[in-house]
């Protein structure tokens, strides 16, 4: 009699767990669909991260509800995109500081690295500026070297 009672309790607990599991899977699927839709709105702008952060949060929620390889892959993919954007922003900031200091050749090298990640109009403008100013610097240095040699 006690066994049947205990078996009944275990069966009820199992049914509750199955119900909860189904609800979690349903929630995960809904969030995954939302995350996919949000991620599709991303326009690959290296200065915009809000959309990706929102999608990342939803995929992380999916993974907590029902850990599946596709959620982990989506999380990894978005984290890589965010890291690329952060690196691009760091390179742009560093390159602009070099430009401000008049170090156009160094800035050009930095901007070329940034271009490997993203190609945007602002970056192209900086590259053209650095190329022009770098050529001017080269001419100036050549004339200065000639002047120094003639002065000797």
């Amino acid at each position: 009699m006690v066994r049947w009672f205990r078996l009944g309790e275990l069966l009820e607990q199992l049914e509750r767990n199955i119900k909860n599991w189904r609800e979690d899977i349903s929630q995960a699927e809904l969030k995954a669909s939302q995350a996919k839709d949000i991620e599709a709105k991303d326009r690959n702008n290296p200065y915009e991260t809000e959309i990706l952060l929102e999608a990342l949060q939803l995929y992380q929620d999916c993974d907590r509800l029902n850990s599946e390889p596709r959620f982990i892959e989506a999380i990894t993919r978005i984290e890589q995109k965010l890291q690329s954007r952060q690196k691009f922003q760091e390179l742009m900031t560093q390159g602009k500081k070099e430009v401000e200091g008049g170090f156009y050749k160094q800035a050009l090298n930095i901007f070329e690295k940034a271009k490997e990640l993203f190609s945007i109009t602002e970056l192209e403008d900086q590259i053209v500026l650095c190329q022009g100013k770098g050529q001017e610097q080269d001419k100036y240095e050549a004339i200065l070297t000639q002047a120094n040699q003639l002065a000797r």
Side-chain angles (χ1 to χ4, degrees), residues 61-121:
D61 291 347
C62 292
D63 188 49
R64 277 191 288 282
L65 288 167
N66 183 29
S67 186
E68 288 186 27
R70 65 186 173 126
F71 299 144
I72 295 168
E73 289 167 7
I75 290 167
T76 302
R77 181 183 64 250
I78 292 175
E79 286 175 340
Q80 288 172 346
K81 287 180 181 182
L82 288 167
Q83 287 171 354
S84 291
R85 290 177 188 198
Q86 181 181 3
K87 182 67 176 169
F88 176 85
Q89 291 172 17
E90 290 169 359
L91 289 169
M92 287 298 290
T93 300
Q94 186 181 359
K96 287 177 182 179
K97 285 181 182 176
E98 295 294 334
V99 167
E100 289 171 8
F103 302 106
Y104 299 105
K105 291 177 189 175
Q106 292 90 329
L108 181 59
N109 289 333
I110 293 167
F111 289 140
E112 291 293 343
K113 289 179 187 174
K115 189 175 180 178
E116 293 173 11
L117 299 171
F118 292 94
S119 183
I120 60 172
T121 304

Side-chain angles (χ1 to χ4, degrees), residues 33-67:
S33 176
Q34 291 171 339
K36 185 178 178 182
D37 291 345
I38 289 169
E39 187 179 1
K41 293 177 184 176
D42 181 52
R43 296 294 168 234
N44 207 29
N45 181 334
Y47 292 111
E48 293 179 5
T49 58
E50 297 82 19
I51 290 172
L52 290 179
L53 289 170
E54 188 177 348
L56 177 64
Q57 182 63 53
L58 287 168
Y59 281 125
Q60 288 171 336
D61 291 347
C62 292
D63 188 49
R64 277 191 288 282
L65 288 167
N66 183 29
S67 186

Side-chain angles (χ1 to χ4, degrees), residues 8-49:
E9 284 179 354
L10 290 173
L11 186 57
E12 286 176 18
Q13 183 180 8
L14 179 62
E15 287 172 351
R16 280 192 306 271
N17 288 345
I18 289 172
K19 181 183 175 196
N20 290 339
W21 178 69
R22 286 185 178 150
E23 288 173 3
D24 287 350
I25 289 175
S26 177
Q27 278 290 93
E29 291 303 321
L30 176 64
K31 287 180 182 275
S33 176
Q34 291 171 339
K36 185 178 178 182
D37 291 345
I38 289 169
E39 187 179 1
K41 293 177 184 176
D42 181 52
R43 296 294 168 234
N44 207 29
N45 181 334
Y47 292 111
E48 293 179 5
T49 58

